[in-house]
Amino acid sequence: DAMVIQNPRYQVTQFGKPVTLSCSQTLNHNVMYWYQQKSSQAPKLLFHYYDKDFNNEADTPDNFQSRRPNTSFCFLDIRSPGLGDAAMYLCATSREGGTGGSPLHFGNGTRLTVT
Amino acid sequence: GQNIDQPTEMTATEGAIVQINCTYQTSGFNGLFWYQQHAGEAPTFLSYNVLDGLEEKGRFSSFLSRSKGYSYLLLKELQMKDSASYLCAVINSNYQLIWGAGTKLIIKP
């Protein structure tokens, strides 16, 4: 089945220790997104790629970086995690970047704990 | 600003019908999604509305009124597995997806 896969499902890191979250997709979608979601809150868009074009949200901290080496893979790097970065991180893909009713397909998420 | 308003929490009985409302104020409109999210899991797509009216899909239906900036999700014949959060999201004129915080639906036997 075509899908979006995130690894790991749960990640524990120490305060200030860099961490990388990964996402892969077999849907061959053009657009890949990284969202941060805290409990009972709306998902917050961090950045997205339309093919290789990187789009950073204005309020995404510099502490968050992303890489998309090819169509299938996308990574989220948190350079110096703080306690406030503990959240669920959701990777999503879409065919057309939200136009024409193209829905987002989400991976299962990575729950990040910062100790 | 742009915002999406949904009730924080609703409770309903198994087998009953529930309507979850969503009102939005966004810079333009290019469509509205409803997603279901079980606790600790990722959102899954339920429905998409871009024209006024009702879209029916099995036990779930979604309604849109663009003039009122209003949508609702109607869930019929509620089952315990329908206990989840339901998120409304609107595509604005810049094709940005604006998310609501979700409505937590609790189903009681």
Side-chain angles (χ1 to χ4, degrees), chain A:
Chain A
D1 285 342
M3 54 200 312
V4 182
I5 301 167
Q6 290 187 244
N7 284 304
R9 188 75 190 268
Y10 301 93
Q11 176 74 56
V12 181
T13 190
Q14 293 177 334
F15 183 94
K17 185 174 182 181
V19 65
T20 295
L21 310 181
S22 71
C23 177
S24 63
Q25 56 133 341
T26 59
L27 297 162
N28 205 32
H29 281 171
N30 294 327
V31 193
M32 294 188 78
Y33 307 80
W34 279 105
Y35 281 92
Q36 179 194 66
Q37 188 179 28
K38 298 186 177 180
S39 182
S40 300
Q41 295 184 18
K44 178 182 183 300
L45 183 63
L46 296 174
F47 18 62
H48 73 279
Y49 281 90
Y50 197 113
D51 291 329
K52 292 186 178 180
D53 292 336
F54 176 70
N55 297 275
N56 196 33
E57 294 300 299
D59 57 354
T60 298
D62 292 340
N63 196 27
F64 292 85
Q65 304 283 318
S66 184
R67 296 169 282 137
R68 189 180 185 185
N70 55 52
T71 302
S72 301
F73 286 88
C74 198
F75 299 96
L76 171 63
D77 301 308
I78 308 177
R79 293 193 295 187
S80 182
L83 297 178
D85 297 328
M88 174 78 90
Y89 289 88
L90 296 164
C91 173
T93 72
S94 72
R95 190 164 36 85
E96 295 175 2
T99 62
S102 175
L104 271 64
H105 298 259
F106 286 88
N108 281 331
T110 295
R111 180 162 295 282
L112 179 68
T113 300
V114 182
T115 60

Side-chain angles (χ1 to χ4, degrees), chain A residues 45 57 97, chain B residues 2 27 90-98:
Chain A
L45 183 63
E57 294 300 299
Chain B
Q2 304 187 85
S27 55
V90 171
I91 308 170
N92 68 9
S93 57
N94 292 324
Y95 295 100
Q96 297 169 312
L97 194 57
I98 312 300

Side-chain angles (χ1 to χ4, degrees), chain B residues 3 5 10 20 29-30 36 38 40 45 50 52 54 56-57 60-61 66 71 77 80-81 95 100 106 109:
Chain B
N3 62 284
D5 291 314
M10 298 181 71
I20 302 174
F29 177 84
N30 276 303
Q36 180 191 60
H38 285 100
F45 169 72
V50 68
D52 291 349
L54 188 68
E56 297 186 76
K57 196 184 283 187
F60 292 5
S61 303
R66 288 171 295 171
S71 173
E77 300 168 17
M80 297 303 293
K81 67 179 182 179
Y95 295 100
I106 299 167

Side-chain angles (χ1 to χ4, degrees), chain B residues 28-79:
Chain B
F29 177 84
N30 276 303
L32 183 146
F33 293 103
W34 283 97
Y35 282 83
Q36 180 191 60
Q37 187 175 25
H38 285 100
E41 298 183 11
T44 55
F45 169 72
L46 289 177
S47 67
Y48 172 72
N49 294 71
V50 68
L51 298 176
D52 291 349
L54 188 68
E55 294 280 342
E56 297 186 76
K57 196 184 283 187
R59 293 189 299 116
F60 292 5
S61 303
S62 56
F63 172 83
L64 174 68
S65 170
R66 288 171 295 171
S67 63
K68 294 181 179 178
Y70 168 68
S71 173
Y72 67 73
L73 180 70
L74 191 71
L75 292 75
K76 302 177 185 176
E77 300 168 17
L78 285 170
Q79 302 174 11

